[in-house]
Amino acid sequence: MSPRSLVLPAASLCAGGLAALAYFHDSDLVLLREHLNHPFALGALACLLMAWAAVGLRWRWLRLLIGILAWLGAGGALFVGLFALAFTATEDVGFVDGPAPYRIRLQQSPAGLGPDRVMWLSVRRDGGLLSREWDLGCFNDDAPDDTFESVKWTGPSSVEIQVADGRTFPITLDPISGRPQSTATLNC
C-alpha cells in the first residue's frame, strides 16, 4: 500500500473527529471556541479528503460510490453551515473591563426571523493561549421589560446585570477559576 492510501483516510477521520468534537462539545478555551469551532467546515473537509482518497481505489464502482457520497456530504455540510451561520451569527458589541485578568464580553444576535435581538454576555479570563470564557447570561428583547440595560462589576469576583425594568441579577464568580457560579437568562 502506498503512503497516500493510508494518509488521506487517516486525515479524513481526524477532520471528521474534530468536526464531531466541535459540534458536540463546547469548550471554554477561547482559542478553540473562536478559531476551531467550525464543525460544518471540518465535516466538509473530511468528506473532500475521503473523495480524494477514493481516487486511488482499484474498483471503479467503489471509487464512484465513495466519491458521490463524499461530494454529497461536503455539499450538505457547507449548505447547513451557511444556513446556520446566517441565523446564528453574533456580532461583538464590546467589552466591560473588570479586575485583571477578567472582562465581560457583550455580543448581539438576531432572535429568529423577527426584529428582536438577543444580548449574550460572557466572562473572559485572559491568559494568552489558555484564555477561558464562560457564559454569563442571555437576554431577549421581545418583552421590553426584559431588554438588557447594563452590566457592572460590584467586586473582584461579582457582577451585577440590570434589565430595562430595573431588575438586577447578581452573579458571583468562582474566586479561583473565574467560572460563574450561576447565569441569568430571560426569554432565551
Side-chain angles (χ1 to χ4, degrees):
M1 295 185 90
S2 70
R4 179 178 162 263
S5 65
L6 296 175
V7 170
L8 288 174
S12 175
L13 287 174
C14 288
L18 285 173
L21 185 65
Y23 186 77
F24 291 111
H25 179 69
D26 189 25
S27 176
D28 57 355
L29 281 173
V30 173
L31 178 68
L32 295 177
R33 183 181 264 196
E34 290 185 1
H35 302 292
L36 296 176
N37 190 18
H38 304 288
F40 299 110
L42 289 169
L45 175 65
C47 290
L48 294 176
L49 286 171
M50 190 53 70
W52 191 15
V55 170
L57 290 176
R58 203 174 302 178
W59 298 297
R60 181 183 172 122
W61 66 270
L62 187 58
R63 181 174 48 219
L64 186 64
L65 178 68
I66 291 174
I68 289 171
L69 290 176
W71 283 104
L72 286 173
L78 289 176
F79 177 74
V80 171
L82 289 173
F83 186 76
L85 183 64
F87 290 105
T88 62
T90 59
E91 62 182 87
D92 280 336
V93 177
F95 286 92
V96 176
D97 291 330
Y102 300 108
R103 59 188 175 150
I104 296 172
R105 181 180 187 185
L106 305 171
Q107 292 179 308
Q108 204 171 39
S109 69
L113 298 175
D116 300 338
R117 306 289 290 170
V118 176
M119 180 67 78
W120 303 90
L121 285 79
S122 56
V123 63
R124 180 181 286 196
R125 186 184 75 203
D126 290 327
L129 291 176
L130 297 177
S131 294
R132 296 188 177 275
E133 187 171 56
W134 300 279
D135 293 332
L136 194 58
C138 170
F139 300 91
N140 190 337
D141 68 358
D142 63 346
D145 290 342
D146 296 341
T147 303
F148 169 79
E149 190 70 30
S150 67
V151 61
K152 65 180 178 179
W153 290 89
T154 57
S157 61
S158 59
V159 174
E160 185 176 85
I161 302 170
Q162 184 175 3
V163 292
D165 69 356
R167 287 178 290 168
T168 59
F169 299 91
I171 297 175
T172 305
L173 308 178
D174 181 87
I176 296 172
S177 69
R179 179 184 301 267
Q181 294 179 346
S182 64
T183 59
T185 60
L186 288 175
N187 302 320
C188 292

